Amino acid sequence: MSAFVNGPVFLSRGRGFAAGSRRRAARIVCTATPPVKVGADVDSRVEAGKALSAQGVERVRFAPSPTGALHVGGARTALYNWLHAKANNGKVLLRVEDTDQARSTRESENAVLRDLRWLGIDFDEGPDAMGGEAGPYRQSERGDIYVELANRLLESGHAYPCFCTEEELDMKRKQAEAEGRPPQYDGTWRDADPAEVKRRMDAGETYTVRFKIPDNTTIAIDDIVRGEVEWDANATVGDFILLRSTGVPVYNFCVAVDDALMGITTVIRAEEHLTNSLRQILILNALGFPVPKYAHCSLILGSDRSKLSKRHGATSCDQFRLDGYLPNAMVNYLALLGWNDGTTKELYFTPEEVVESFDLNRVGPSPTMFDSDKLIWINGQHLRALPVEELAPMARDHLVDQELLDPSVESDSELSMFIAGMFQGSMSLVNDVATEFQGALGFPVEECISTGEASELLEDDGGFKVIAESILSAYDAGEFPNGSSDDHAAEWKAWVKALGKETKRKGKKLFHPIRLALTGKMSGPDVGQVVKLLHITEGVAPNRVSLAERIDTLREVVAAKY
C-alpha cells in the first residue's frame, strides 16, 4: 500500500521551517539564511560531491556543534582529522553543525575556532573567509538542501509522513518498555491508508518525515579502528525521523547529506557516533550517494574509568591554555590518547613530527585514560626544550597578568630573558614562573629557622654563623658581588670559592649556609642568580625583598641567635 495520494507528498515551508502540508506539483520553500538554490542546484551539488570523493584525494572533516567550549575529546577528533589529512596530502574541512538553534551560538563557534588556532589546527575549507567549493559550511545555512533531498526521498518511496503526536509516541515507548521490547517506532504510518493520509493533510495536520527502512536490511562497515561492525537495521533502529514536525532536519540526516555533498572520503570521529553510522549509511544508500570510510576512535576516560567530564578537572582547551600548557605539548599528548607509532616514543616536539609518524591504522579500539600527570610531564619536557627567546614573552606576560612584574618590562628585555632562563629548568607549566619568581624574591629566613628546618645549620659546627658573618663583613666592605656587574656569574663564582677557602668549608657545608643566609630557604634556584635577579628587578617587582633588606634581617637574626 502506498503512502502517497495521487502522486508524491511534498513539503512546504513558510517562514523558516513551518509545519508540513501536502501540495501537488510544488517544491520546497525554505528561508534558510542565506538561502541556497534548490532543484537543479542540488543536482549539481550532488555531482560535485561525487566528483570530489572520487578524485583520489583524502577529504576529512571536523564538525563541532557550537554549543560550548572545545573539550579534550573534540580536540582529539579535530587533531586526528588534521593529522590524517596532512599525512596523506589530503584536505581537512571545518563544518559547523549548528542546527540546534536553541543552544548554538556564534560566540561558541568563535571560541572553538580560537582554541583550534591555538592548537595549530588549520583548515583547507570552512565557513566565511576559509572558503571552499562545497559550502555553505554551516548547517544552518543549508536548510534548502536538506528539505529538497527529503522531498526526493518522499518521492522515491524511501520516506513517508508520520502523523503520530508526541503523546502517542510516548505511550508507544512506555508500552514497548513494559513488554520488554526496544522502544523504537512501530511503523504506524509506514503503510498507512492513502485516504487517511489525504484527509489529515487536507486538514493541515502537522507531521514528521520518517525514513522507511527496507525489510530485512543489514548494514556492515569495516571500521578502520574497530574492524567489522554489522547491524540488523530493522531490529536496531526502526523507521527514524528525517524532518521534525517543525520542518527542522535531524542530526543524522544533515550529517549524511553534508558528508556526501562535501565529498568526504573518511569520517573520523568518536566511538559514541558509531551507531549513527547505521542511519547515515541507510540515507546515503537511499539517495545513491557514496559511503565514506569510517574510523571511530575510543572513549577517553577519567581517572575513575568513567567517561571524561568536567568533574575530572580541566577538560577544555581554553582552560589548559590559561593554566599554562603549551599548544605543541597538548598536540603531543592528544595524539597519544589512543595512537602510537609502534615504538615507545612519547615526545613529539612539533606537529610536523607527529604528521610524519601518524597512521590512522595504528589508532587502537580500547578506551584510553586521560592522565593529568603525564600531560604535565610532557608539557614540562616541551617547555624545557623551548629556546629562551620563545619562553621569555610567555613568562613575562604571565607575571604581568599576576601583577608580579611591571608592564613596562619588555618581552625581549634582559630581565625577561633572565627570568625565563633562570626558572625554565624548574617549570612544568608556564604559570609555574609566578611561584618560582615570588619564591626567589621573598626572604622567609625567620620562618625557616622557627620551623626547625634549618636547625642543623644553626648548630656550632653547622656553618651558618661563620658564613653569615662573612657575608655581612663583605657587604659592609663593599666587596660582596651584588649583581650589578655585567660579569656577575664569574664574580659570584670567584667570591664563593674565596669564601670557602677563608672558612675552610666546601660542598653542602658551604653552599647550604650561603643559601639560608641570602634566600632564607633550604632549597631553590642558584643563589648567584637570585642575587642578580634582585638587582635587575629593582623598581619593577612589587613584592621584592631587596639585598639591602635581606642584609638587615640577616644582621638581626645573627644578633638574636648568637
Side-chain angles (χ1 to χ4, degrees), residues 379-454:
N379 198 78
Q381 298 300 311
H382 277 255
L383 194 149
R384 287 186 281 279
L386 278 181
V388 171
E389 294 78 10
E390 292 184 29
L391 178 58
M394 302 181 205
R396 175 266 180 198
D397 290 349
H398 185 67
L399 292 176
V400 169
D401 288 343
Q402 298 298 307
E403 299 183 346
L404 298 174
L405 191 66
D406 193 273
S408 63
V409 177
E410 298 290 339
S411 296
D412 59 352
S413 65
E414 176 193 3
L415 176 54
S416 294
M417 296 293 182
F418 185 85
I419 291 171
M422 180 174 176
F423 300 120
Q424 185 172 24
S426 56
M427 294 164 58
S428 292
L429 302 171
V430 173
N431 294 7
D432 289 344
V433 71
T435 303
E436 298 292 333
F437 186 68
Q438 282 184 294
L441 295 185
F443 188 58
V445 64
E446 293 167 309
E447 179 184 344
C448 183
I449 290 174
S450 66
T451 62
E453 185 181 358

Side-chain angles (χ1 to χ4, degrees), residues 5-18:
V5 182
N6 298 323
V9 174
F10 295 105
L11 303 179
S12 175
R13 301 292 177 254
R15 293 182 59 82
F17 290 109

Side-chain angles (χ1 to χ4, degrees), residues 82 217 288 480:
W82 185 84
T217 297
F480 183 80

Side-chain angles (χ1 to χ4, degrees), residues 48-96:
K50 291 179 179 179
L52 286 171
S53 63
Q55 65 185 359
V57 176
E58 274 288 84
R59 290 175 62 85
V60 297
R61 47 65 165 187
F62 176 56
S65 296
T67 56
L70 178 67
H71 291 275
V72 166
R76 184 190 65 170
T77 297
L79 177 63
Y80 280 9
N81 276 279
W82 185 84
L83 290 170
H84 181 69
K86 297 299 180 185
N88 291 278
N89 297 313
K91 291 188 175 183
V92 57
L93 287 63
L94 177 69
R95 184 173 75 220
V96 180

Side-chain angles (χ1 to χ4, degrees), residues 36-266:
V36 295
K37 296 178 181 179
V38 295
D41 184 68
V42 170
D43 289 334
S44 66
R45 289 174 180 274
V46 169
E47 294 308 311
K50 291 179 179 179
L52 286 171
S53 63
Q55 65 185 359
V57 176
E58 274 288 84
R59 290 175 62 85
V60 297
R61 47 65 165 187
F62 176 56
S65 296
T67 56
L70 178 67
H71 291 275
V72 166
R76 184 190 65 170
T77 297
L79 177 63
Y80 280 9
N81 276 279
W82 185 84
L83 290 170
H84 181 69
K86 297 299 180 185
N88 291 278
N89 297 313
K91 291 188 175 183
V92 57
L93 287 63
L94 177 69
R95 184 173 75 220
V96 180
E97 298 187 341
D98 58 349
T99 54
D100 185 350
Q101 293 296 292
R103 298 176 61 224
S104 298
T105 66
R106 193 57 61 89
E107 290 77 16
S108 290
E109 179 184 324
N110 291 336
V112 169
L113 288 172
R114 180 196 63 217
D115 291 341
L116 291 168
R117 283 193 295 269
W118 176 68
L119 289 169
I121 296 174
D122 54 1
F123 296 90
D124 299 292
E125 300 176 26
D128 302 331
M130 293 184 202
E133 55 189 308
Y137 293 91
R138 291 188 185 91
Q139 288 185 338
S140 61
E141 299 170 2
R142 297 172 66 83
D144 282 315
I145 297 173
Y146 306 133
V147 183
E148 169 70 15
L149 291 173
N151 225 354
R152 296 186 184 187
L153 289 173
L154 283 166
E155 186 174 8
S156 66
H158 289 98
Y160 60 90
C162 170
F163 294 91
C164 290
T165 64
E166 282 298 321
E167 293 75 17
E168 290 172 330
L169 291 172
D170 188 52
M171 289 180 59
K172 292 176 186 291
R173 280 191 289 268
K174 290 179 179 178
Q175 183 177 351
E177 290 171 359
E179 297 174 357
R181 295 184 287 106
Q184 62 187 42
Y185 182 64
D186 62 3
T188 299
W189 289 92
R190 179 183 174 97
D191 296 304
D193 181 353
E196 179 63 12
V197 173
K198 181 178 185 305
R199 183 188 70 76
R200 289 184 178 245
M201 286 192 163
D202 288 345
E205 293 187 27
T206 60
Y207 57 87
T208 60
V209 175
R210 287 187 179 272
F211 186 85
K212 188 174 186 178
I213 299 178
D215 293 334
N216 305 314
T217 297
T218 298
I219 296 294
I221 62 172
D222 185 9
D223 192 277
I224 296 171
V225 175
R226 322 203 75 77
E228 293 287 343
V229 183
E230 183 177 289
W231 297 275
D232 179 335
N234 306 92
T236 304
V237 293
D239 293 350
F240 54 89
I241 293 175
L242 298 177
L243 296 180
R244 299 182 180 89
S245 59
T246 57
V248 175
V250 300
Y251 169 80
N252 282 302
F253 185 47
C254 295
V255 170
V257 168
D258 291 345
D259 284 344
L261 271 56
M262 293 181 182
I264 301 303
T265 58
T266 303

Side-chain angles (χ1 to χ4, degrees), residues 325-486:
Y325 288 87
L326 300 174
N328 283 357
M330 286 299 300
V331 166
N332 185 161
Y333 184 67
L334 289 172
L336 296 175
L337 285 176
W339 168 85
N340 68 77
D341 66 359
T343 72
T344 58
K345 183 175 180 178
E346 294 185 306
L347 294 174
Y348 298 85
F349 289 101
T350 66
E352 290 72 25
E353 280 188 61
V354 188
V355 169
E356 290 175 5
S357 300
F358 190 79
D359 183 347
L360 199 55
N361 290 292
R362 291 207 56 83
V363 175
S366 300
T368 184
M369 185 178 295
F370 187 86
D371 186 341
S372 298
D373 291 338
K374 186 170 182 178
L375 172 57
I376 291 175
W377 177 80
I378 287 176
N379 198 78
Q381 298 300 311
H382 277 255
L383 194 149
R384 287 186 281 279
L386 278 181
V388 171
E389 294 78 10
E390 292 184 29
L391 178 58
M394 302 181 205
R396 175 266 180 198
D397 290 349
H398 185 67
L399 292 176
V400 169
D401 288 343
Q402 298 298 307
E403 299 183 346
L404 298 174
L405 191 66
D406 193 273
S408 63
V409 177
E410 298 290 339
S411 296
D412 59 352
S413 65
E414 176 193 3
L415 176 54
S416 294
M417 296 293 182
F418 185 85
I419 291 171
M422 180 174 176
F423 300 120
Q424 185 172 24
S426 56
M427 294 164 58
S428 292
L429 302 171
V430 173
N431 294 7
D432 289 344
V433 71
T435 303
E436 298 292 333
F437 186 68
Q438 282 184 294
L441 295 185
F443 188 58
V445 64
E446 293 167 309
E447 179 184 344
C448 183
I449 290 174
S450 66
T451 62
E453 185 181 358
S455 58
E456 187 177 334
L457 297 183
L458 299 177
E459 296 175 359
D460 291 341
D461 61 347
F464 178 73
K465 180 178 183 295
V466 65
I467 294 297
E469 289 176 342
S470 295
I471 291 173
L472 294 173
S473 296
Y475 184 83
D476 292 340
E479 297 171 356
F480 183 80
N482 62 6
S484 60
S485 170
D486 291 338

